[in-house]
């Protein structure tokens, strides 16, 4: 028996949660004249946003409507992120403000869930210092949300469900997607990599992959519904399939999804360089629906720091991957995450990262100043560089990327590219914005009827953060 069978939610458990949904629905029908409104906000990464969509699916099943405003909500849920201190502070600030909502509407329910809540010390702090919060549950209890809400509605006490058992894969729960033409599919949960700075393995549990047939069925349904872009999500999609029976890998999954008929494109994130193989790059080059954009976080360009981070690759190995991918796909683009100011990092280490940025020529970078996370290995490492100095390094790195990014955008001028129109642009009245297959941001003049559709855009001008263009060939 594979380890997978242990982690899937059982049919009985699923049935039980659907029963709770029905019970909550009945309670709400008695309690409210109009359908009550829920406000759900997800902080953090796409995994959290996707979880938020499942929570909204369950809420819709229970009879809730939705509102963007916390003032008109009968139920407020914040789905939290613990990746950096800043992310946690933001949540605490937002939760503090909800005191006013509770004061004016005593019968409303306030809930917190997600990565921060999986940490015992955070749950304890909420219990003690934030008495207006009624419900707290961690990532491992998400599939029990209907039961938790039922308890909150029927008992006159707060519900804290910080389950430290393993996370489970929940198939068959409802989902209410935020978008009508772009969708996320989580292909795996958790993370086994234990990069020394990172809290994710502690708050999301061990890595588990969903079965390929479930993922392909979900993708097929999305395409049938008219979705134009599917992004496959996992903390390390390149190790997809570990623990599953049969001959399963991320390359094979990509090929299966690529075979689905229809006019759509496929993205994926995040790729860990240590598991990014030539076979995977070959696959991307051979699958016409898979975008030639790879988010391949390098974190640092210094081998000494990479080792301390427990990343399991060197800068040379990383650069070899980039070279191989470019040889196979001259139009492939790369984006990356970088941490500045990891414990013991020196300015020389930073210069190596800057050199790497110039060698790779990233399209875009997500740069973060190192944030100490209690419980991680790096939290015990000496960290002598003052924050002020780290901020200067951060700006130095960003300046290097701005130069690289502008060059990249300038190179797009004169090309005609496929763009999925996304919404209104900041460029001005009458402009829409969208992304090319290689993930560049393009603004162009067009009416709203194009939103959610693929259009061909001729690129006419480069800005530092985007390019401008004109629709052709309508
Ligand atoms: N699983 C993905 C990313 C997860 S978190 C991966 O392996 O790339 C997203 C990014 O947050 C990371 O890539 C890293 O750059 C950053 N990050 C994670 N922990 C951090 C910390 N303690 N301080 C600063 N940045 C951090
Ligand atoms: Fe964190 Fe590393 Fe896992 Fe990414 S791969 S989630 S950075 S531990
Ligand atoms: Fe944050 Fe959790 Fe994602 S910590 S970055 S929401 S996995």
């Amino acid at each position: 028996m594979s380890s997978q069978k242990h982690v899937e939610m059982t049919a009985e458990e699923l049935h039980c949660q659907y029963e709770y949904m029905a019970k909550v629905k009945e309670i709400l029908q008695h309690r409210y004249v109009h359908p009550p409104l829920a406000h759900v906000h997800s902080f953090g990464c796409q995994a959290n946003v996707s979880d938020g969509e499942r929570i909204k699916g369950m809420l819709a099943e229970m009879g809730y409507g939705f509102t963007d405003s916390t003032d008109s909500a009968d139920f407020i849920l914040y789905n939290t992120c613990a990746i950096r201190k800043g992310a946690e502070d933001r949540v605490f600030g937002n939760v503090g403000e909800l005191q006013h909502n509770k004061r004016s509407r005593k019968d409303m329910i306030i809930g917190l869930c997600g990565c921060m809540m999986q940490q015992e010390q955070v749950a304890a702090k909420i219990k003690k210092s934030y008495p207006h919060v009624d419900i707290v549950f961690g990532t491992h209890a998400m599939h029990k949300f209907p039961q938790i809400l039922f308890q909150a509605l029927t008992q006159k006490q707060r519900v804290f469900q910080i389950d430290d058992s393993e996370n489970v894969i929940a198939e068959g729960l409802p989902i209410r997607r935020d978008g009508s033409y772009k969708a996320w599919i989580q292909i795996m949960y958790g993370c086994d990599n234990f990069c020394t700075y990172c809290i994710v393995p502690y708050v999301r549990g061990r890595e588990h992959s969903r079965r390929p047939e479930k993922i392909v069925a979900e993708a097929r349904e999305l395409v049938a519904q008219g979705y134009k872009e599917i992004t496959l999500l996992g903390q390390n999609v390149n190790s997809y399939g570990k623990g599953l029976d049969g001959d399963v890998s991320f390359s094979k999954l990509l090929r299966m999804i690529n075979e689905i008929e229809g006019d759509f494109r496929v993205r994926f994130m995040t790729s860990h360089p240590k598991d990014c193989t030539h076979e995977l790059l070959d696959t991307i080059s051979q699958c016409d629906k898979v975008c030639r954009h790879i988010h391949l976080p390098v974190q640092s360009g210094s081998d000494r720091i990479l080792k301390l981070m427990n990343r399991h690759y060197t800068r040379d190995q990383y650069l070899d991957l980039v070279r191989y991918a470019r040889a196979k796909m001259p139009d492939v683009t790369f984006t990356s995450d970088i941490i500045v100011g990891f414990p013991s990092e020196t300015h020389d280490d930073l210069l190596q990262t800057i050199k790497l940025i110039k060698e790779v020529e990233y399209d875009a970078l997500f740069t973060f100043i190192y944030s100490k996370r209690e419980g991680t290995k790096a939290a015990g490492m000496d960290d002598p560089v003052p924050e002020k100095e780290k901020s200067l390094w951060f700006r130095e790195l960003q300046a290097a990327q701005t130069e690289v990014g502008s060059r990249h955008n300038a190179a797009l001028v004169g090309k005609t590219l496929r763009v999925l129109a996304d919404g209104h642009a900041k460029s001005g009245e009458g402009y829409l914005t969208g992304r090319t297959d290689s993930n560049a941001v393009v603004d162009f003049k067009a009416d709203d009827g194009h939103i959610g559709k693929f259009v061909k855009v001729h690129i006419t001008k480069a800005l530092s953060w985007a390019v401008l263009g004109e629709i052709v060939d309508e």
Side-chain angles (χ1 to χ4, degrees):
M1 199 160 92
S2 80
S3 56
Q4 184 66 69
K5 297 198 174 74
H6 296 290
V7 296
E8 236 172 64
M9 190 176 180
T10 62
E12 296 88 84
E13 178 67 12
L14 184 67
H15 178 70
C16 173
Q17 293 306 322
Y18 268 96
E19 281 190 346
Y20 278 116
M21 286 192 249
K23 284 184 200 164
V24 170
K25 193 171 189 172
E26 208 183 311
I27 293 171
L28 297 178
Q29 277 167 351
H30 282 107
R31 207 172 274 190
Y32 296 94
V33 184
H34 301 292
L37 296 176
H39 172 90
V40 179
H41 184 79
S42 294
F43 296 82
C45 67
Q46 284 84 354
N48 245 25
V49 174
S50 172
D51 282 352
E53 291 182 335
R54 284 196 288 158
I55 287 169
K56 281 185 263 189
M58 295 186 245
L59 283 166
E61 181 83 21
M62 292 186 266
Y64 278 94
F66 295 91
T67 172
D68 287 337
S69 127
T70 49
D71 290 338
S72 54
D74 301 284
F75 176 53
I76 297 175
L77 185 69
Y78 286 154
N79 186 18
T80 64
C81 169
I83 200 79
R84 283 169 289 274
K85 183 171 181 298
E88 293 201 336
D89 289 347
R90 210 167 310 135
V91 169
F92 280 124
N94 277 288
V95 176
E97 281 173 22
L98 293 182
Q99 258 173 352
H100 307 292
N101 299 60
K102 191 77 177 203
R103 227 173 268 145
S104 56
R105 297 185 55 188
K106 296 245 176 316
D107 61 334
M108 73 174 303
I109 297 175
I110 295 177
L112 298 176
C113 64
C115 294
M116 258 172 94
M117 300 307 136
Q118 194 62 41
Q119 305 173 97
E120 264 171 41
Q121 80 278 12
V122 174
K125 181 172 169 177
I126 299 289
K127 204 171 213 169
K128 186 162 168 254
S129 310
Y130 296 78
H132 58 291
V133 174
D134 307 289
I135 296 179
V136 169
F137 59 101
T139 54
H140 297 191
M142 202 190 82
H143 60 291
K144 292 186 191 149
F145 171 56
Q147 183 175 358
I148 294 167
L149 187 56
F150 175 78
Q151 284 170 353
L153 287 164
T154 52
Q155 299 167 3
K156 289 219 153 15
Q157 54 186 351
R158 305 164 80 196
V159 185
F160 281 71
Q161 177 88 240
I162 312 303
D163 204 332
D164 60 2
S165 64
E166 198 39 282
N167 53 346
V168 301
I169 293 179
E171 299 286 0
L173 284 172
I175 183 158
R176 185 179 186 274
R177 297 186 194 272
D178 294 338
S180 55
Y181 54 90
K182 291 206 294 192
W184 316 107
I185 299 185
Q186 297 200 60
I187 62 167
M188 60 211 289
Y189 303 94
C191 183
D192 283 351
N193 292 303
F194 290 94
C195 302
T196 54
Y197 49 81
C198 187
I199 196 74
V200 172
Y202 302 91
V203 294
R204 287 262 166 188
R206 296 291 57 75
E207 183 178 305
H208 298 308
S209 294
R210 287 176 69 196
R211 284 193 262 177
E213 60 274 21
K214 300 276 184 191
I215 297 167
V216 172
E218 190 172 339
R220 215 180 274 287
E221 201 184 310
L222 287 168
V223 174
Q225 288 168 3
Y227 279 83
K228 297 284 177 234
E229 181 178 298
I230 293 174
T231 304
L232 308 175
L233 294 179
Q235 296 300 342
N236 174 11
V237 290
N238 300 353
S239 70
Y240 169 77
K242 214 166 67 180
L244 285 179
D245 287 332
D247 186 16
V248 190
S249 70
F250 186 54
S251 290
K252 295 210 167 67
L253 182 71
L254 277 182
R255 286 187 194 279
M256 288 160 87
I257 294 175
N258 194 62
E259 274 167 24
I260 299 172
E261 290 212 1
D263 184 26
F264 70 102
R265 67 186 184 189
V266 182
R267 296 190 183 284
F268 54 90
M269 66 190 300
T270 299
S271 284
H272 194 307
K274 82 174 166 66
D275 297 309
C276 184
T277 58
H278 287 187
E279 186 207 349
L280 175 61
L281 297 171
D282 291 343
T283 303
I284 298 168
S285 75
Q286 289 156 10
C287 290
D288 60 328
K289 294 188 177 101
V290 176
C291 289
R292 290 169 171 211
H293 160 237
I294 309 178
H295 182 59
L296 195 64
V298 68
Q299 312 297 357
S300 168
S302 152
D303 282 342
R304 189 181 70 83
I305 296 294
L306 285 173
K307 199 160 188 38
L308 285 174
M309 287 177 162
N310 193 34
R311 290 290 288 180
H312 295 283
Y313 53 84
T314 62
R315 66 178 281 138
D316 279 350
Q317 285 166 338
Y318 185 93
L319 288 169
D320 171 66
L321 285 174
V322 172
R323 267 191 298 268
Y324 185 86
R326 289 229 159 99
K328 290 270 162 179
M329 302 171 272
D331 55 343
V332 71
T333 58
F334 289 92
T335 53
S336 195
D337 294 348
I338 287 180
I339 295 178
V340 174
F342 183 81
S344 88
E345 189 176 26
T346 63
H347 192 253
D348 271 351
D349 293 313
L350 180 86
L351 290 179
Q352 291 191 49
T353 305
I354 291 179
K355 192 161 163 265
L356 180 131
I357 290 175
K358 292 182 177 164
E359 281 175 58
V360 177
E361 291 236 336
Y362 289 110
D363 246 31
L365 272 191
F366 301 89
T367 2
F368 310 101
I369 293 185
Y370 169 73
S371 171
K372 180 172 164 177
R373 305 282 68 207
E374 281 315 330
T376 62
K377 200 158 173 204
M381 295 179 189
D382 259 1
D383 187 11
V385 177
E387 284 297 311
K388 238 178 158 172
E389 179 113 20
K390 291 186 182 182
S391 299
L392 292 177
W393 292 1
F394 183 78
R395 266 184 264 154
E396 196 176 334
L397 192 96
Q398 282 197 320
Q401 176 55 32
T402 306
E403 204 188 306
V404 172
S406 306
R407 239 194 341 263
H408 245 280
N409 283 344
L412 295 179
V413 174
K415 294 190 174 171
T416 298
L417 302 168
R418 184 172 76 147
V419 174
L420 180 58
D422 233 347
H424 297 135
K426 286 182 254 161
S427 307
E429 189 86 357
Y431 276 83
L432 296 184
T433 190
R435 282 182 186 265
T436 63
D437 292 353
S438 65
N439 213 33
V441 179
V442 182
D443 290 359
F444 51 97
K445 212 166 193 164
D447 59 60
D448 289 7
H450 291 87
I451 296 176
K453 298 194 174 127
F454 285 119
V455 288
K456 286 259 163 57
V457 180
H458 181 71
I459 310 301
T460 53
K461 193 176 170 191
L463 309 171
S464 62
W465 46 274
V467 291
L468 296 181
E470 283 159 13
I471 287 202
V472 290
D473 186 33
E474 276 191 82

